[in-house]
Structures are given as structure tokens and as C-alpha cells.
Amino acid sequence: MEYSLFRLFHILGAVLIGGGLMGVWMADLRSRQLRELTPFSEAVRNIAVFYDGLVVPGAVSLLISGTWMIVKFHGGWNFLHIPWLAGMVGLFAFEFIEGNSVTRLYFMRLRRLTRSALDAGHVTLELRRARGERVPTFTHFLDLPLLFLIIALGATQPATWTLFLAGSFAAVALAALLTLAVPRLYPWSSEALPA
């Protein structure tokens, strides 16, 4: 019963974080398509709503339930000898740190710059520069592929590191491709936006 209960919380955490990251992805994509400041600011606000309302609670639920299941049912530090579980933990730790130190902070700064642009009545140079930053764009596009890899590792529970390595490479390649392609589809250059 205890295992089933923690597994339920773990699955609910995965659903919350997955739904939240998809919402963030869609809101970000929508913000890139918009050329008017007011609807753009609403799309940026939606990013924060998805992060704070779904991604963060989902991550906390995964952290608590996952830690408890590892300690109670997988021998604590022995999880390091189980490729699928060590891979899940490593990717989750990376995503947790990266998500809170790069991606989430970037979107918080983007929201603040959008508010300043609304107060100024036009798109500011700082907002244009922030929208064009490559590193937070890459880490944002890396979130969903890594989540899918984490879920794949948990669902298939491979005994080798092959899926982890191939999936990590594919996730990085997909994020790099999206980082190059999406901003070109919806440019945020000074020529594209009204001043």
C-alpha cells in the first residue's frame, strides 16, 4: 500500500510537470508569434502561470515521492548501480537545477522586461535583446525532450545505459535544432516589431 501511494504521487507529479512544461512551450511559442505588446505580455504571463502552477508543484511531488521510493524500495545509494534509475535521477537533478537557475529565471526576467515595456508604451531594446538570447532558449527547448527521456527510462527500465545515452544525444540535438529554427520562424528583430 505504501509503495502504491508513493507511486501514485510520483505519477501525479509527472503529469503535473509534463502538462506544465507543455503549457510553457505553447505559451512561449505563442509569444514568439505575437507582434503587439499587450497580447505578448499575456502570453509571457501565461508562461509564469504554467511554471508556478504546474511545473513547480509537479517537480516537488516528484522529488519527495522519488526520494522516498529510492530510500525505501531501491536500497538508497544502491540506485547508482541501476542504469535506468540512476539516469532518471541524474536527468531530474539536471533539469531541476537548470530549470530553476536558467529557464525559470529567464522567463521571470522576460516578464519583468515586458511590464517595463508596457509602462513605456513600446517594445524596449532590453526586451528585444532578452527575447533573442540563445542559452535560455536552448534550455527551454531541452525541457520536454529530457522529460520524455526520463519517462521512457522509468517505463522501460533498461538494464544498460544505451537508452540514456542515445536519448540524451537526441534530446540535445532536438533542442539545438529548435533553438536554431523557431526564432527564425518568428523573428524578434528590431525590423519585425513596432518600436
Side-chain angles (χ1 to χ4, degrees):
M1 180 65 182
E2 183 183 11
Y3 179 78
S4 297
L5 190 60
F6 276 97
R7 187 168 180 228
L8 172 65
F9 283 119
H10 206 66
I11 291 169
L12 289 175
V15 169
L16 285 174
I17 201 170
L21 287 176
M22 285 184 223
V24 167
W25 203 91
M26 293 302 295
D28 175 66
L29 186 61
R30 183 65 183 138
S31 75
R32 291 175 186 278
Q33 297 169 344
L34 295 168
R35 294 292 168 256
E36 295 176 19
L37 192 53
T38 302
F40 172 79
S41 69
E42 183 63 24
V44 170
R45 189 187 71 77
N46 287 336
I47 292 169
V49 169
F50 281 115
Y51 253 116
D52 296 340
L54 295 174
V55 175
V56 172
V60 170
S61 178
L62 285 174
L63 178 64
I64 292 169
S65 59
T67 301
W68 183 257
M69 287 192 297
I70 287 171
V71 168
K72 187 83 173 174
F73 303 107
H74 293 285
W77 288 106
N78 287 333
F79 84 89
L80 293 171
H81 303 292
I82 306 169
W84 66 270
L85 189 53
M88 287 178 74
V89 170
L91 290 171
F92 178 80
F94 172 79
E95 275 295 292
F96 194 84
I97 293 166
E98 171 272 314
N100 285 298
S101 64
V102 178
T103 309
R104 188 164 183 264
L105 292 178
Y106 167 73
F107 283 126
M108 289 171 64
R109 183 166 50 92
L110 189 65
R111 187 175 181 195
R112 181 178 42 80
L113 291 172
T114 302
R115 284 182 188 152
S116 296
L118 279 171
D119 291 341
H122 61 88
V123 176
T124 62
L125 181 59
E126 294 84 7
L127 181 57
R128 282 193 181 101
R129 285 181 180 153
R131 184 78 273 197
E133 290 180 17
R134 295 280 188 183
V135 172
T137 300
F138 173 77
T139 59
H140 162 61
F141 286 136
L142 187 60
D143 286 341
L144 275 176
L146 286 186
L147 178 65
F148 294 152
L149 177 56
I150 291 169
I151 292 170
L153 288 168
T156 61
Q157 298 184 356
T160 68
W161 289 96
T162 305
L163 177 61
F164 173 83
L165 295 173
S168 296
F169 177 78
V172 169
L174 179 59
L177 179 66
L178 289 170
T179 300
L180 293 173
V182 171
R184 289 183 181 171
L185 290 174
Y186 310 109
W188 253 76
S189 67
S190 57
E191 296 80 25
L193 289 173

